[in-house]
Amino acid sequence: MGVLVRALAEGRRCRPPAPAGRGTGAWPKADGAAAEALPLAVGTGHPGPTALPTAQLALVAALRGDDVTDRHLDKVTEIRDKHPVGITDGLVADLTHWTRGLRVATQPATALHHLEQIEGPAYRRLAAIGLFDAAIRGNRPALARTWLAELEQFAAGTGLRGATAVVEHGRALLVADSDAEAHFQRALAAHTGSPRLPNRARTHLAFGEHLRRARRRVDAREHLRTAPALFEGLGATSWAQRAAQELRASGESVRRRDVATATELTPQECQVAALVRQRLSNRDVAAHLFVSSRTVDFHLRNCYAKLGVTSRAELTALPLDL
């Protein structure tokens, strides 16, 4: 679980067209770790342990805005309904609530229903900005203040810049509009020393939204340009779209990306796709990467979904630089 928590905290991405090694980071690590764990859990012969890696896959997919999220969530629900999950069930429940909250982020009341059920302190801190956003948009400021007080204690006790940044972000949402700018500026200053790029992107977006509502459209654009660029780099598709919409509302168009760079693959998916494009079989790819054929098949299916193809021939024909 430590790998997943660190990965979600850092949240970096890779892009397939980029040079080898560029942009690798934590969301791909979380996705890859869960994908590797899943066949191992299946191999135990007990379905219950597969719930945790499946829930991890669902969360990372939701953070990116991938359509496979619901499929993973349905599988987690099926596993929990039919089989004993054991001591990891609390973790699975928290991951599921967080994922469902992300899926309905545009519906504050529904998102809040799921997010406020997260019990683990680590996940509550990682999901804090989403919790604040849902509470404010859902007209539940008292609940936001309760979460903020919890996070303030953690930030004061640890001195972590990432936690301080989220605290300042939460304060900016809760204070009067005239005082919010100072808290947003402090949040961005704290983000400078933190690897939590998703939270930094959320702060730029929230600050830009605040400035646009205050009719400071020119000032808002600086942050509303930064936010979609960060979200796109992370592969957070739905958030990139929301940020782009805000930028357009400020009176500026978003620069369109070409089809090849718009598709995001994890490093493991990049490796599998590159080898398949060399006409290797799944068994040969598995031997090359020292993984199981089942793992290769899992990554290959994800490649098909993300690239919009249905066969090895179509994948090979794509003009991609992997």
Side-chain angles (χ1 to χ4, degrees), residues 78 84 139 174 181 215 224 242 249 265:
E78 179 185 344
N139 198 28
L174 285 164
E181 183 171 355
R215 299 186 178 181
L224 296 176
R242 172 172 162 177
L265 301 181

Side-chain angles (χ1 to χ4, degrees), residues 87-102:
I87 61 173
T88 63
D89 193 54
L91 299 175
V92 173
D94 281 351
L95 288 167
T96 301
H97 288 311
W98 187 3
T99 302
R100 294 192 186 282
L102 288 167

Side-chain angles (χ1 to χ4, degrees), residues 6 18 27 89 132 140 146 188 200 203 225 227 229 239 265:
R6 288 194 300 273
W27 284 2
D89 193 54
F132 294 148
R140 298 276 301 278
T146 298
L188 289 176
R200 185 189 306 177
T203 298
R225 291 187 199 109
W239 285 105
L265 301 181

Side-chain angles (χ1 to χ4, degrees), residues 73-83:
L73 281 173
D74 290 343
K75 187 62 178 177
V76 172
T77 300
E78 179 185 344
I79 295 167
R80 295 182 74 203
D81 286 346
K82 294 182 178 180
H83 308 281

Side-chain angles (χ1 to χ4, degrees), residues 98-187:
W98 187 3
T99 302
R100 294 192 186 282
L102 288 167
R103 291 296 279 166
V104 292
T106 57
Q107 305 168 42
T110 306
L112 195 58
H113 168 73
H114 294 294
L115 295 174
E116 65 181 326
Q117 296 183 65
I118 299 174
E119 296 183 356
Y123 288 136
R124 286 170 66 89
R125 292 192 292 268
L126 287 170
I129 287 183
L131 296 171
F132 294 148
D133 182 73
I136 296 301
R137 292 174 182 266
N139 198 28
R140 298 276 301 278
L143 185 57
R145 290 189 180 94
T146 298
W147 288 326
L148 179 60
E150 178 183 314
L151 192 56
E152 284 173 334
Q153 289 184 337
F154 177 79
T158 62
L160 292 173
R161 295 182 66 85
T164 299
V166 176
V167 165
E168 291 294 344
H169 184 124
R171 288 170 177 166
L173 296 179
L174 285 164
V175 300
D177 285 349
S178 58
D179 299 323
E181 183 171 355
H183 289 294
F184 276 127
Q185 294 286 12
R186 292 186 194 121

Side-chain angles (χ1 to χ4, degrees), residues 259-280:
V259 174
T261 59
T263 303
E264 303 289 342
L265 301 181
T266 69
Q268 293 80 13
E269 290 162 0
C270 290
Q271 289 180 315
V272 169
L275 292 170
V276 168
R277 283 159 61 88
Q278 296 175 29
R279 306 188 187 283
L280 272 65

